[in-house]
Amino acid sequence: MSKKILPLVIGAAMGVAATTAAGATTLEDVKAKGFIQCGVSQGLPGFSNPDAQGNWTGLDVDLCRAMAAAVFGDASAVKYTPLSAKERFTALQSGEVDVLSRNTTWTMSRDTQLGLNFAGVNYYDGQGFMVRKDLGVTSALELSGASVCTNTGTTTELNVADYFRANNMPYEIVAFEKADEVVAAYDAGRCDVYTTDASGLYAQRLKLTNPGDHMVLPEIISKEPLGPVVRQGDDEWFNIAKWTLNAMLNAEELGVTSENVDEMKSSDNPSIKRLLGVEGAFGEAIGLSNDWAYNIVKNVGNYEESFNANVGPDTPLGISRGVNALWNDGGFMYAPPVR
Amino acid sequence: MSVMEQDSAGAPARASLLNDPKVRGLFYQVLLIAALVFFGYFIVTNTIANLERQNIASGWGFLENTAGFGIIQSMVPYSETSSYGTALVVGLFNTILVAVVGIFFATIIGFVVGIARLSNNWVISRIAYCYVELVRNVPLLLQIFFWYFAVLRAVPGKREKWSLFDTVHLNIGGLRLPKPIWEPGSFMIGIALVVAIVASIVISKWAHKRQDATGQQFPMFWTAVGLIIGLPLLAYLVMGMPMHLEHPVFVDTGPRIRQGFELNVGINIIPEFLALTAALAIYTAAFIAEIVRAGIQAVSHGQTEAAHALGLRNGPTLRLVVIPQAMRVIIPPLTSQYLNLTKNSSLAVAIAFPDLVSVGGTVLNQTGQAIEIIGIWMAVYLSLSLLTSAFMNWYNQRMALVER
């Protein structure tokens, strides 16, 4: 009997090795479990934030919902994993989440060295500074000797170091792991300055005791293209993430909204026909059904609808489209055509 | 007996080898080791294969790259142009600093509270009891937040201060102290200090011997205090006062952003450090107090009565008779508390103190070298724990009951 143990142990180990090595594609995995596991922030109003009932909403959340709509025809087939800046890439690399949609800056090293692929940009941002109005500061160049609160493990931490060094200003960095603690410390007066992406500053300002006492300085010291990220090496899933974002942008450009999408199906415009799956088989080409983009717009809406509902001028954040307008409207948003 | 002997002797040789408990034991142990080695091999190769498949660069080369981020407190020279390796060393030293200072204060508070719990004074023992029950039943992270956020809001803001004798200042930016600036010749002060410490040790040995021989006591404590303060002071005066204090500079004129303490003048103990050490020391002290109480109660009351019968007062009884015997019971669980404190210091990341976990997390995020960084974390905490327990085991052996 004892002779049978060793082959058994080896056999079992080999079996484990075989199953881990083979692996299924992300799309197969997602279809098998019936939902998309989406990595989001730990709470950034307008981008990804849970409401009182625990439902996640925001611009980044809408991208996850749009992907779920594209895959399942059901925008609610998403489960959310709140991740700190420090945890996010490891969670994606290790397969804990299928897509990371968490105000993550697209940089060269992240794109090339971490085994990740950035699927596009859903918000063009830049790093800014927030200070108390009563400090009497009007420019970031007057911040010499200031103490600066921020998050650990972000590009923010590097940009602020570069900026103060380049301008020969001494400073003191206080870096917290969670955004909520940064807000609390800044609110308590531990720091003169709160720095993060400008969108984040507007969002976090809402959490301060007296939002009106604080102002965002005009300097934007970095380029922060934020967008969804997937694992490298799975082109099928990469395409789905990329074209979900492109579909939302194209829908806005073509004037297709969640309200008129059913009428638009009978439109004569060939671009709209291709987008909504009336003509061609573009959905099948990325492993989905042909009405993938119809489902996205019907369930979630186009980019403009998502922007206005979450961060736009009528929301507490009150962010104008600015550079995030479509290309033909003076902004950077430009999606390749569906054809 | 005789029946069993006959059975084993009468059985054929082959069967006896298979049934021999020694051989079987050895076989299963070899099998277990082989399985463990194979398991380890499988984990490592599988990890490497997965990393390669996902195009994640691995290796230790990243340690030499430029870090590019700032750190608020460092005991070794560090700037944004230093390497990731240096950043991790900064984090390591900060962790050790918190652990050492935390252990120091936790031990003092723990012993005082532990002894106070056994006090005959009802008020003192009740206060100690409440302290223990309150502190050890509230999660540590909550206490860290309490010390950092609640207490932080109570102290003056950046442009104001509380001062003590105009030398020690406190505001939300931290505790500011004068910084000694050493000039040439100041090394003599250090030498004098070392001489004073060595002399104190020698005199204490001599005093013990003399007491053993003649029964006469020597005022050892005051002699040592006199030496350790007096000799360096003498050297300071003789060498022409080769040291001055750099006082923190508080600016209260000009633009508001410029008001407050100037950076890098004097010593600034940052509030993150104060809050973390306070929380760790006070939390661990509650556990140490219970250990001390248990240790003291483990010493038979007869020992106290015997000491009193010899004419010793309460203080010396506790110090010379009870505590030395209690130490044998106290030290092993005390070691665990020291290890806990060291490991708990990793909660620093929640309040922005740049310890090893906080700095390592930033490095991890900038480089993506998760496996290497986590490996460093595990190696460091393991080494710190092993070092602490090795030291405490050595101390335990010294304190063990010497049987003659």
Side-chain angles (χ1 to χ4, degrees):
Chain A
M1 185 212 129
S2 47
K3 280 182 194 157
K4 286 179 192 159
I5 293 178
L6 192 63
L8 252 172
V9 170
I10 295 173
M14 299 287 272
V16 178
T19 45
T20 24
T25 67
T26 310
L27 183 60
E28 285 166 15
D29 274 350
V30 164
K31 279 185 173 162
K33 62 186 175 190
F35 59 86
I36 293 176
Q37 194 74 43
C38 178
V40 290
S41 79
Q42 289 160 317
L44 183 64
F47 290 84
S48 44
N49 202 33
D51 64 15
Q53 284 82 42
N55 301 315
W56 287 83
T57 56
L59 193 68
D60 287 338
V61 166
D62 274 356
L63 196 103
C64 298
R65 295 177 63 234
M67 284 181 76
V71 174
F72 299 108
D74 174 10
S76 64
V78 190
K79 287 195 178 166
Y80 299 95
T81 309
L83 296 168
S84 74
K86 212 168 92 176
E87 299 160 345
R88 55 188 165 178
F89 298 125
T90 316
L92 182 61
Q93 287 163 343
S94 63
E96 208 178 304
V97 297
D98 302 311
V99 57
L100 184 69
S101 184
R102 187 206 172 280
N103 51 303
T104 299
T105 305
W106 185 351
T107 68
M108 179 165 175
S109 63
R110 287 172 177 179
D111 203 357
T112 55
Q113 291 167 24
L114 300 187
L116 305 175
N117 271 337
F118 282 79
V121 177
N122 71 338
Y123 190 90
Y124 286 95
D125 210 341
Q127 185 175 340
F129 298 103
M130 179 160 66
V131 295
R132 274 187 179 67
K133 280 180 183 162
D134 66 13
L135 275 185
V137 173
T138 52
S139 156
L141 291 166
E142 298 165 33
L143 293 176
S144 178
S147 56
V148 182
C149 278
T150 189
N151 279 83
T152 58
T154 61
T155 45
T156 317
E157 215 180 340
L158 301 184
N159 293 334
V160 73
D162 286 352
Y163 184 78
F164 277 83
R165 241 165 73 205
N167 290 300
N168 208 9
M169 301 190 293
Y171 73 109
E172 193 182 56
I173 187 94
V174 189
F176 296 82
E177 186 171 20
K178 285 186 171 180
D180 281 345
E181 268 93 64
V182 191
V183 176
Y186 171 75
D187 210 11
R190 170 70 182 98
C191 303
D192 303 313
V193 184
Y194 179 4
T195 182
T196 187
D197 295 346
S199 62
L201 291 178
Y202 287 108
Q204 304 291 12
R205 186 164 68 167
L206 303 176
K207 295 184 186 169
L208 296 171
T209 324
N210 293 310
D213 291 353
H214 304 266
M215 62 183 272
V216 177
L217 295 175
E219 281 87 353
I220 295 291
I221 64 165
S222 68
K223 290 187 288 184
E224 310 284 343
L226 311 179
V229 198
V230 294
R231 275 183 296 280
Q232 195 171 304
D234 186 345
D235 285 356
E236 182 186 43
W237 188 245
F238 182 36
N239 281 339
I240 292 173
K242 200 162 46 181
W243 282 96
T244 298
L245 177 59
N246 287 339
M248 291 175 79
L249 290 169
N250 278 324
E252 182 188 352
E253 193 178 331
L254 297 169
V256 183
T257 67
S258 56
E259 267 147 41
N260 69 14
V261 64
D262 287 308
E263 303 149 38
M264 282 291 189
K265 260 191 152 174
S266 48
S267 158
D268 294 332
N269 185 335
S271 297
I272 296 178
K273 281 182 169 176
R274 284 192 295 268
L275 177 70
L276 298 181
V278 183
E279 223 175 78
F282 296 98
E284 280 165 19
I286 56 170
L288 303 174
S289 62
N290 276 335
D291 59 354
W292 63 286
Y294 168 83
N295 286 332
I296 293 174
V297 180
K298 178 81 186 164
N299 286 289
V300 183
N302 65 28
Y303 183 78
E304 182 182 32
E305 290 179 280
S306 175
F307 189 98
N308 287 342
N310 294 305
V311 298
D314 299 333
T315 64
L317 268 77
I319 301 176
S320 64
R321 279 297 283 272
V323 295
N324 289 298
L326 289 181
W327 63 282
N328 49 12
D329 204 18
F332 296 160
M333 288 295 179
Y334 187 105
V338 178
R339 68 178 309 135
Chain B
M1 271 287 270
S2 61
V3 177
M4 275 177 67
E5 267 169 21
Q6 220 176 13
D7 269 348
S8 67
R14 201 172 154 270
S16 87
L17 192 65
L18 262 185
N19 288 325
D20 186 347
K22 259 193 179 165
V23 175
R24 286 180 81 154
L26 201 68
F27 175 74
Y28 282 113
Q29 286 181 38
V30 168
L31 201 68
L32 179 70
I33 290 171
L36 281 177
V37 167
F38 183 81
F39 184 64
Y41 166 80
F42 163 70
I43 297 246
V44 169
T45 49
N46 194 33
T47 309
I48 293 173
N50 277 329
L51 286 177
E52 274 173 7
R53 193 164 50 80
Q54 296 189 11
N55 281 331
I56 301 174
S58 58
W60 300 96
F62 72 95
L63 287 177
E64 284 161 27
N65 296 350
T66 303
F69 57 88
I71 299 181
I72 190 172
Q73 176 185 305
S74 65
M75 290 194 290
V76 293
Y78 175 86
S79 74
E80 288 85 352
T81 47
S82 304
S83 66
Y84 285 124
T86 317
L88 287 170
V89 171
V90 169
L92 170 65
F93 278 119
N94 283 341
T95 291
I96 294 176
L97 180 70
V98 166
V100 169
V101 176
I103 284 173
F104 177 77
F105 284 109
T107 310
I108 293 178
I109 304 171
F111 269 77
V112 169
V113 175
I115 292 168
R117 270 212 68 177
L118 295 170
S119 167
N120 291 327
N121 184 319
W122 189 84
V123 176
I124 291 180
S125 75
R126 280 290 105 174
I127 290 176
Y129 170 76
C130 291
Y131 166 80
V132 169
E133 290 306 324
L134 185 76
V135 167
R136 72 171 178 177
N137 286 312
V138 176
L140 177 57
L141 187 59
L142 225 60
Q143 293 190 35
I144 293 178
F145 282 143
F146 169 77
W147 285 106
Y148 189 59
F149 286 114
V151 178
L152 201 63
R153 276 173 199 262
V155 301
K158 295 207 80 153
R159 332 255 159 236
E160 296 141 63
K161 60 180 172 131
W162 283 339
S163 297
L164 196 66
F165 306 121
D166 213 29
T167 43
V168 180
H169 314 275
L170 181 72
N171 72 10
I172 205 162
L175 186 66
R176 314 258 166 179
L177 308 167
K179 181 177 175 183
I181 302 291
W182 306 102
E183 289 157 18
S186 58
F187 68 96
M188 282 303 290
I189 300 174
I191 292 175
L193 185 67
V194 173
V195 169
I197 291 171
V198 171
S200 307
I201 294 170
V202 171
I203 293 174
S204 110
K205 289 228 160 120
W206 166 81
H208 267 119
K209 257 194 198 146
R210 193 179 75 142
Q211 193 182 352
D212 286 348
T214 67
Q216 283 178 296
Q217 285 190 346
F218 188 78
M220 196 49 237
F221 180 74
W222 293 112
T223 314
V225 168
L227 276 175
I228 288 171
I229 295 177
L231 270 187
L233 195 69
L234 198 68
Y236 172 68
L237 293 173
V238 168
M239 292 307 291
M241 304 195 235
M243 186 210 79
H244 67 271
L245 292 175
E246 181 191 76
H247 286 275
V249 176
F250 186 80
V251 182
D252 52 5
T253 52
R256 202 161 159 74
I257 178 78
R258 298 242 181 249
Q259 291 176 20
F261 284 102
E262 279 185 12
L263 288 185
N264 308 322
V265 183
I267 295 177
N268 182 23
I269 306 176
I270 55 172
E272 289 76 25
F273 175 81
L274 294 172
L276 183 67
T277 12
L280 284 173
I282 287 169
Y283 178 75
T284 314
F287 293 87
I288 293 178
E290 286 295 273
I291 292 168
V292 169
R293 180 173 70 97
I296 291 174
Q297 286 182 329
V299 177
S300 148
H301 192 59
Q303 295 285 324
T304 312
E305 289 171 337
H308 284 164
L310 284 173
L312 284 181
R313 275 168 289 115
N314 272 328
T317 303
L318 195 66
R319 208 172 65 239
L320 299 170
V321 178
V322 178
I323 299 270
Q325 298 186 68
M327 284 310 276
R328 291 180 297 127
V329 183
I330 292 174
I331 290 171
L334 190 64
T335 309
S336 305
Q337 292 307 323
Y338 287 176
L339 298 184
N340 280 347
L341 188 145
T342 309
K343 288 180 285 181
N344 284 340
S345 72
S346 59
L347 290 170
V349 66
I351 56 161
F353 180 72
D355 79 323
L356 184 72
V357 171
S358 170
V359 175
T362 303
V363 176
L364 191 162
N365 210 282
Q366 306 300 354
T367 63
Q369 309 284 350
I371 292 180
E372 288 84 352
I373 298 290
I374 290 168
I376 291 175
W377 281 340
M378 295 205 297
V380 164
Y381 283 101
L382 187 66
S383 324
L384 286 181
S385 294
L386 289 179
L387 277 175
T388 314
S389 72
F391 172 78
M392 292 302 280
N393 284 340
W394 166 81
Y395 186 61
N396 191 31
Q397 263 171 2
R398 279 206 44 170
M399 296 302 286
L401 199 61
V402 183
E403 298 190 2
R404 294 176 211 256

